[in-house]
Amino acid sequence: MEVVMAKTRAFFALTGRAVNEVLSFFVFSILDVLDFVLCYAYRVADFLIEAEWKPCYCSPAKEAITGGGKILVSERGESKVVRLTSSSKLQLEEISDTLYARPSCVAEVSKCTERKRGRGRSVFAVNAAIVEMLQGKIGGRKFSPFPRWSDCDCEIYYVQEDVLFIHGFISSSAFWTETLFPNFSKSAKSTYRFFAIDLLGFGRSPKPADSLYTLREHLDMIGRSVLEPHKVKSFHIVAHSLGCILALALAVKHPGSVKSLTLLAPPYFPIPKGEQGTQYLMRKLAPRRVWPLIAFGASLACWYEHVSRTICLLICKNHRIWNFITKLITRNRIKTFLIEGFCCHTHNAAWHTLHNIICGTAGKIDSYLDTVRNRLKCSVTIYHGRNDELIPVECSYNVQSRIPRARVKVVEKKDHITIVVGRQQAFARELEEIWKSSKGN
């Protein structure tokens, strides 16, 4: 009887996976077409509303040749030249190829995609939109400070609240201020200064329309808005999801300053030998599956530039309405701030941060973890929800395999968000114990 039941369960599991595969292929093939159509719709809308053709990342990458301190790229029969400086070389290296190299479902299934290789010269693939942005930055052109027509036009101001809290993707400082901050003890509040950071492009931080939102830009913003003005010399870091990458980079940049490192659901996927890091990580993080729902949302955000821009147009540009509806229906402050954090960004900020931070740093994370292991003496604690369907628990154990002294705490019956939300009192006490035990470091 047990054998029959096991075979039945295996049959249904196999059938479920097959249905998910077929349905996912069908849905994402339609989304491939939709994003293609929206590309041209947005080009026309941008021209009519902003009187300028705006570049996007849909045009195929072209071979770029470096020589004499220049980049030469051919696009639609015209040659564009950008003169490289040391800073622009670094900026180019920080740009993830997943911005402009995302093969469609049909292309992947038919195995028609090709990899470009340079032979005997400095050749690489680059997108014309990136070249145009670099031309403007290097040439000293002043970009418009106004947001694009499809983005929110809220007045921008800073929120600053000697512990650094770094939120995750499409979130904000409220992820910490509305959950943990009210639950810290009086002793902790009198002992530590808490800084909940709104990352560049999120929450109430600036959202420059022409920024590429690279790792360097995010770290520079943290330095200019928090570390320098408040003379932060020694600090603890608490980071969630995407914020874990920035936390590691910040720790590497200030190895003598970090007292403890607490990472929640770090998105670390070791890259198999022979795989291209950025593309591999994009497939792992956004597998183009309709279920679970959070994977479907990640796939929309990661693969489809214009579909995700449309979502931002409908949601983020009209965030006041959604906030009002949420407050009216739920009357629950926790749910309200989650919606506010989800809506308070622009497509430009979300799109570039997703690709240039999560995907673009795939080849750097190993070196960051090795530096934390070898050069930093701080404690490393990792929390992960057992039911996290976006970042699997294996990611935290992958970090531990790289930093053996790291302690991994798996929280049962909690997911990517409820690892904090819903257990804020308990987590606040746990953090206080971590900071207290780290005073000797």
Side-chain angles (χ1 to χ4, degrees), residues 381-394:
T381 309
I382 306 169
Y383 287 87
H384 214 120
R386 176 72 71 184
N387 298 339
D388 194 327
E389 294 181 316
L390 181 63
I391 308 296
V393 177
E394 288 73 16

Side-chain angles (χ1 to χ4, degrees), residues 116-367:
K116 296 184 177 183
R117 304 175 185 273
R119 296 179 180 177
R121 57 180 181 171
S122 182
V123 178
F124 56 96
V126 70
N127 184 271
I130 292 173
V131 171
E132 287 191 19
M133 286 191 178
L134 286 176
Q135 278 183 316
K137 287 178 179 290
I138 296 167
R141 181 170 51 135
K142 292 184 178 180
F143 294 110
S144 170
F146 302 105
R148 302 190 67 174
W149 66 268
S150 57
D151 288 332
C152 176
D153 58 353
C154 280
E155 183 179 352
I156 294 168
Y157 57 96
Y158 284 93
V159 171
Q160 293 181 339
E161 304 248 328
D162 159 70
V163 182
L164 304 183
F165 292 85
I166 308 177
H167 64 77
F169 186 58
I170 54 174
S171 186
S172 71
S173 58
F175 186 77
W176 310 111
T177 60
E178 295 288 343
T179 57
L180 294 180
F181 282 28
N183 288 290
F184 285 126
S185 64
K186 290 183 179 180
S187 175
K189 291 177 180 178
S190 63
T191 303
Y192 305 101
R193 292 190 300 172
F194 300 136
F195 295 91
I197 299 168
D198 274 325
L199 294 176
L200 183 66
F202 298 87
R204 294 174 176 175
S205 276
K207 302 168 180 63
D210 295 288
S211 172
L212 289 168
Y213 294 89
T214 61
L215 185 71
R216 184 181 301 276
E217 289 176 286
H218 281 288
L219 293 182
D220 286 347
M221 186 280 295
I222 294 174
R224 290 195 306 268
S225 64
V226 180
L227 302 185
E228 294 170 10
H230 295 279
K231 296 180 173 56
V232 178
K233 301 296 182 183
S234 180
F235 50 89
H236 304 268
I237 304 178
V238 180
H240 177 239
S241 193
L242 173 143
C244 295
I245 299 174
L246 294 168
L248 289 169
L250 194 64
V252 170
K253 188 175 182 179
H254 304 277
S257 301
V258 180
K259 303 288 288 183
S260 72
L261 195 56
T262 305
L263 308 176
L264 283 72
Y268 173 54
F269 298 86
I271 310 302
K273 188 175 181 180
E275 287 276 2
Q276 185 182 2
T278 54
Q279 296 290 332
Y280 175 81
L281 190 52
M282 182 169 65
R283 294 194 302 270
K284 293 291 289 185
L285 191 67
R288 286 197 287 193
R289 295 289 179 270
V290 295
W291 191 262
L293 195 58
I294 196 168
F296 179 67
S299 299
L300 288 180
C302 203
W303 286 89
Y304 299 102
E305 179 180 358
H306 303 290
V307 171
S308 58
R309 183 180 175 185
T310 301
I311 294 172
C312 282
L313 168 61
L314 297 175
I315 297 177
C316 299
K317 186 175 175 66
N318 303 292
H319 66 84
R320 299 176 187 86
I321 297 174
W322 299 113
N323 290 343
F324 173 77
I325 293 173
T326 305
K327 291 177 182 178
L328 190 64
I329 295 176
T330 68
R331 298 185 180 275
N332 183 311
R333 180 56 194 160
I334 295 295
K335 293 182 179 179
T336 301
F337 90 75
L338 287 173
I339 294 296
E340 289 175 353
F342 181 78
C343 295
C344 207
H345 64 275
T346 66
H347 171 254
N348 187 64
W351 179 257
H352 287 87
T353 297
L354 175 62
H355 286 280
N356 286 333
I357 302 302
I358 294 187
C359 300
T361 58
K364 302 177 183 179
I365 296 298
D366 285 350
S367 64

Side-chain angles (χ1 to χ4, degrees), residues 23-35:
L23 185 59
S24 297
F25 175 78
F26 177 74
V27 170
F28 285 101
S29 295
I30 293 176
L31 286 170
D32 285 331
V33 176
L34 176 60
D35 203 63

Side-chain angles (χ1 to χ4, degrees), residues 376-408:
L376 276 70
K377 296 181 180 180
C378 68
S379 65
V380 180
T381 309
I382 306 169
Y383 287 87
H384 214 120
R386 176 72 71 184
N387 298 339
D388 194 327
E389 294 181 316
L390 181 63
I391 308 296
V393 177
E394 288 73 16
C395 287
S396 287
Y397 288 114
N398 291 337
V399 173
Q400 187 184 48
S401 68
R402 207 85 191 188
I403 309 175
R405 74 173 184 275
R407 294 178 298 164
V408 176

